[in-house]
Every structure is written in structure tokens, then in C-alpha cells.
Amino acid sequence: MVKKILTVAGSDAGGGAGIQADLKTFEEYGTFGISSITSILTVDPKTKKPSIYPIPIDIVEKELDTAFSGGALDALKIGLLGSLPVIDLLEHYLVKVNQKNIVLDPVMAVKTNKDVLQPELVNGMIKKLMPLADIVTPNLVEACILSDMPTIETEEDMRKAVKKIFDLGPKSVIIKGGARFKGDVATDLFYDGEQLLFIHEDKLDTVTNHGAGCSFAAAITAGLAKGLTLESSVRLAKKYVTSAIKHGLYLNDFTGYVWHGAFLEATNRMTLGDD
Ligand code: PXL
């Protein structure tokens, strides 16, 4: 049976991250994607400044009513929340339907801008959504905020941060050190209360990484929906997103999108056959 997954996130006007990354990734995993859009995110081409346009809360409520009309989904991913009332609303639904396989991508910063987006939402997210999550997927900036650490520069810092974030109540955490982590290799750290697992990959020398974080979390969600363990979901998601970055699409010399269809060579699909 095809697994059904809901993403509650922002719509990326660029098309590589947010809801767009999630739905494309779910499809690549052979799962059925449903979306509740919390906000629309645009980026000014000149200043690189992102803007968030929240969807009115009564509309988000109707979206969630529609999405949950058959009860809990096989898995659920949370991305950009967009506005404060979305947190309470979402918590209400997750508890009501007893939703399992919840992936929380604590989106607080986008690559084009180092400022924290919507800092007023962080506490609500920590208190209400973190304890419901099977896995939380912060990048280094988000991990510093969640662990209340000024910097994370060494593997020792990462160990300390991952444990502090785990203590906020999720079943597991993966810190995406990625290419921004100091040193020669891209380093992530997974922790589920028992196992501390470093995942190392070669650093990829490319700018085609817009959407990498969202696609990674979406891939973990799809893995869980298909019955993989947390560790296997994380390992497969890492391979999926590495391939998506490697085969990314340039938008200009400075930036580009990950290619969500790279892992299974979607460019070769639906071509006209000879007969
Ligand atoms: O990668 C963070 C992110 C999350 N959600 C939306 C985005 C972005 C980055 O651009 O657009 C909607």
C-alpha cells in the first residue's frame, strides 16, 4: 500500500526547499505527499533577504482538517511554522489523531541570510512540538540556539549539543553539521539516547545546495513511513541528499537547487520509447 505523508511547512517560491522539496522527495520515495501550507517564503534577488508571508490561521486549520480527514497519516514532517498560532493548532491535531513518525525540522535560518527567522516561535516549538517528535533535524545554527551554545566547532561540541537537544524531549536528534562543519569532511551526529553515531561524508565543493536541509528531513520522514528504523532512515536520507546536491541545478554562479530526482535518475523517466 502506498504510504501517505503530510508536510506542514512553508511554500518556497524558489521551488527547491520547503513544501516543494518535501513533495518531490516523497514522490521519489514512492510515497503519497499531502501538504498544509503555513506560509510563503520569497527571497529578494538583490538583497538576498527572505520574507515570510504567513497564511491566515483559519485557512491553516481548514488545511489540517482536510489533510487529517482520514485520521493519522503514515508519517508527518514539520518545517517552517510561519506564525505562532500554528504551533498550538498543530499540537492539538497531532495529539488528537495520535500521529506517529513525526519529523521536526526546526527551521530558523535560511542559507541566504544568517538572521534567525521568526525567533518568537522558538520557545513554543521547543515546549509543544519537540516532545512529540521522533526526530529533530537542526543545522548548526539551529543546534546552537536549541542547545544554548554560542558555537559548535568540534565533534566534542556536537556531542554536548546533541545531548542537550535530546533532553528537550524528542525520541532522537540529528545535527546536520554538513559542509559548514569545520574540517575536511561533512559531519552529522545522530543520537537516540543510547547510540551516538557520527556520519561522515566527503565535503561537496558546490553551491547547488538550496533545499538540502528540507529534502534531508523529508527523506527521513519517507523512510519512517515505509517502516525503516530511525537509523536506516537517516542513512538512506543522507545518500539521497548527497546525490541531490552533487547533481544540483545552477541558478546563477552563486546559488543553485538540489535535484530531488538525482538518486533514481528521474531525468531518464517518461522518455518516448522506440515502439
Ligand atoms: O531551508 C529552509 C527553508 C524552509 N522552508 C522554506 C524555505 C526554506 C529555505 O529557503 O524556503 C519554505
Side-chain angles (χ1 to χ4, degrees):
M1 254 239 301
V2 180
K3 301 296 183 189
K4 298 189 278 298
I5 309 180
L6 173 62
T7 168
V8 182
S11 171
D12 174 19
I19 290 276
Q20 285 75 7
D22 297 343
L23 294 179
K24 292 172 193 181
T25 301
F26 297 160
E27 180 89 7
E28 286 303 303
Y29 268 72
T31 60
F32 185 89
I34 304 169
S35 60
S36 296
I37 304 178
T38 62
S39 50
I40 296 172
L41 188 142
T42 61
V43 178
D44 185 303
K46 290 201 188 80
T47 62
K48 308 273 185 289
K49 211 176 147 328
S51 299
I52 296 174
Y53 301 95
I55 302 294
I57 193 67
D58 52 324
I59 297 182
V60 180
E61 186 170 5
K62 290 197 168 89
E63 290 186 89
L64 291 172
D65 268 340
T66 309
F68 284 121
S69 55
L73 286 310
D74 294 298
L76 183 142
K77 188 204 146 191
I78 305 169
L80 187 68
L81 291 160
S83 73
L84 200 51
V86 167
I87 296 174
D88 285 330
L89 188 66
L90 188 53
E91 184 201 21
H92 165 80
Y93 277 93
L94 296 178
V95 173
K96 186 171 112 181
V97 303
N98 191 21
Q99 180 62 50
K100 301 277 191 277
N101 293 331
I102 299 174
V103 176
L104 173 60
D105 189 16
V107 179
M108 296 180 203
V110 296
K111 287 193 186 69
T112 46
N113 191 293
K114 292 292 153 271
D115 296 337
V116 173
L117 301 165
Q118 304 187 299
E120 68 282 9
L121 304 194
V122 174
N123 279 339
M125 186 178 72
I126 291 176
K127 286 211 185 70
K128 300 190 168 155
L129 300 179
M130 284 278 238
L132 300 175
D134 288 276
I135 184 162
V136 188
T137 62
N139 60 26
L140 283 181
V141 176
E142 292 151 358
C144 281
I145 294 165
L146 293 172
S147 63
D148 202 17
M149 288 170 58
T151 53
I152 299 174
E153 292 183 342
T154 62
E155 291 198 353
E156 198 44 49
D157 290 346
M158 253 194 176
R159 268 195 206 102
K160 202 168 141 196
V162 89
K163 289 185 172 166
K164 287 180 101 175
I165 299 170
F166 178 80
D167 286 342
L168 297 171
K171 283 206 196 83
S172 70
V173 182
I174 181 155
I175 298 183
K176 302 173 288 190
R180 266 181 262 166
F181 190 64
K182 289 197 170 159
D184 300 335
V185 286
T187 299
D188 297 344
L189 178 58
F190 171 81
Y191 182 58
D192 62 2
E194 288 173 12
Q195 198 188 10
L196 261 177
L197 193 77
F198 278 100
I199 302 175
H200 299 289
E201 287 272 347
D202 288 341
K203 277 194 178 173
L204 299 173
D205 185 19
T206 174
V207 295
T208 58
N209 60 5
H210 178 84
C214 298
S215 305
F216 180 62
I220 295 173
T221 319
L224 293 177
K226 295 183 86 168
L228 301 186
T229 61
L230 278 166
E231 184 186 332
S232 302
S233 300
V234 164
R235 287 192 185 278
L236 183 57
K238 185 77 190 172
K239 286 191 192 142
Y240 170 79
V241 87
T242 300
S243 160
I245 297 170
K246 250 185 211 161
H247 301 280
L249 292 66
Y250 281 90
L251 193 57
N252 51 44
D253 288 345
F254 324 107
T255 181
Y257 300 122
V258 300
W259 168 220
H260 311 83
F263 193 68
L264 292 175
E265 301 182 8
T267 25
N268 297 334
R269 279 186 222 146
M270 300 293 284
T271 50
L272 286 178
D274 289 338
D275 44 18

